[in-house]
Amino acid sequence: MFDSFERRDGPNERKKLQCNSCKRQTIHTLEAQCIGRWQEEFGCGHSADGGVEFSLYRCGACDEVCFETSSWCSEEYDHDDEGNIYLPRTEIQYPPPSSADFAFDTDFTPHDLNELIDEMLYALAGSKLKLATVALRMVVEFIVTDTKCAGRNLMRKIDDLHAKGHVDQNQLALLHKIREKGNAGAHERKAMNRNEMVAGIGLVNLLLEKLYNSPKRQEEIVKKANQAFQSDDDS
């Protein structure tokens, strides 16, 4: 529960957000904003505080409206490159941002993998490149683990994917780039740029087609053909 809740008068801000109508990032104007703040006492002189900003944005290209929350908490602090403490914010956009850049065929892919892909695309569409970088690595790790690639770590499993003939030498090198940059994203908070993310996602799309979708489609086609010809023989 908030200890205070107020409406901000005359907001005059602009922000680049992913527009679900334009299917791209556009400049949005802040039309309205409310701010709720809370504070909690834990005893022994210890307390915590935080808040949430509720913002209504309008796309400058098509007038489509979206809603965003931005929350923070004094217990969830971090340090910048100079060692100064700051409170990172968690921003969530409604409806979730979507992109026209990627069209994944997930008809035959595992549900858990689809959820990872959705979270990765959500982070990328919202320009959360550090989160998207780590999520891309997680997608690759899920694929090599789910397809029973051998190895005690992700590097060895990617090598085994190549040994099994699922990727060529060039694709192998690119998957290792994703692994290395994903490690840097998780441990050093270094993000891929958008072009790198787009290239990596394109490679993942190839893996989905080769390892999941194409084999299952062939299996269904052959099954239907066998049924059709069996029915013809019976008649």
Side-chain angles (χ1 to χ4, degrees):
M1 181 179 294
F2 295 120
D3 295 310
S4 67
F5 194 86
E6 59 183 302
R7 180 175 181 177
R8 183 180 173 191
D9 295 327
N12 185 26
E13 296 179 10
R14 299 200 302 168
K15 182 177 184 179
K16 183 175 286 189
L17 293 171
Q18 187 81 4
C19 176
N20 279 342
S21 179
C22 298
K23 300 295 184 183
R24 59 187 174 90
Q25 288 195 339
T26 60
I27 299 297
H28 284 59
T29 300
L30 179 61
E31 298 293 343
Q33 186 178 72
C34 293
I35 305 173
R37 294 184 175 89
W38 58 266
Q39 184 172 5
E40 187 170 352
E41 300 288 341
F42 299 105
C44 300
H46 181 61
S47 64
D49 62 85
V52 184
E53 287 181 352
F54 303 91
S55 303
L56 191 69
Y57 285 96
R58 178 171 56 87
C59 174
C62 71
D63 285 335
E64 184 77 7
V65 172
C66 70
F67 181 70
E68 184 186 68
T69 62
S70 177
S71 60
W72 68 94
C73 173
S74 60
E75 296 294 286
E76 299 172 359
Y77 60 86
D78 206 341
H79 297 82
D80 62 21
D81 294 337
E82 298 178 354
N84 300 313
I85 295 177
Y86 73 97
L87 299 181
R89 294 202 173 199
T90 300
E91 296 177 340
I92 302 177
Q93 184 178 330
Y94 305 93
S98 61
S99 173
D101 296 334
F102 314 106
F104 282 96
D105 181 355
T106 55
D107 287 343
F108 301 103
T109 51
H111 175 73
D112 289 346
L113 177 56
N114 296 343
E115 285 189 340
L116 274 178
I117 290 172
D118 286 343
E119 291 179 11
M120 174 184 66
L121 294 179
Y122 183 95
L124 179 59
S127 297
K128 305 295 189 294
L129 291 177
K130 292 176 184 177
L131 293 177
T133 296
V134 175
L136 179 57
R137 182 197 181 281
M138 292 173 65
V139 168
V140 172
E141 186 164 19
F142 184 102
I143 291 171
V144 296
T145 300
D146 187 58
T147 52
K148 305 298 188 294
C149 291
R152 58 184 175 84
N153 54 36
L154 181 55
M155 181 178 71
R156 298 291 176 82
K157 289 179 180 180
I158 291 174
D159 287 340
D160 192 50
L161 190 71
H162 173 253
K164 290 179 176 178
H166 295 312
V167 295
D168 60 26
Q169 193 66 38
N170 188 39
Q171 292 168 337
L172 173 68
L174 291 171
L175 287 172
H176 279 308
K177 284 288 186 183
I178 292 173
R179 174 182 60 81
E180 293 165 0
K181 288 182 177 291
N183 289 342
H187 300 297
E188 304 170 32
R189 291 176 293 177
K190 293 182 179 178
M192 296 186 198
N193 61 44
R194 186 174 177 84
N195 287 338
E196 290 173 332
M197 281 296 307
V198 171
I201 289 173
L203 184 58
V204 165
N205 220 351
L206 290 177
L207 290 178
L208 298 186
E209 182 62 27
K210 185 167 188 177
L211 298 175
Y212 294 100
N213 296 317
S214 182
K216 283 294 185 180
R217 272 196 293 268
Q218 291 181 40
E219 181 182 318
E220 288 202 345
I221 290 172
V222 171
K223 181 180 178 180
K224 289 180 180 179
N226 283 330
Q227 291 173 343
F229 284 110
Q230 182 64 42
S231 175
D232 185 64
D233 291 341
D234 292 342
S235 61

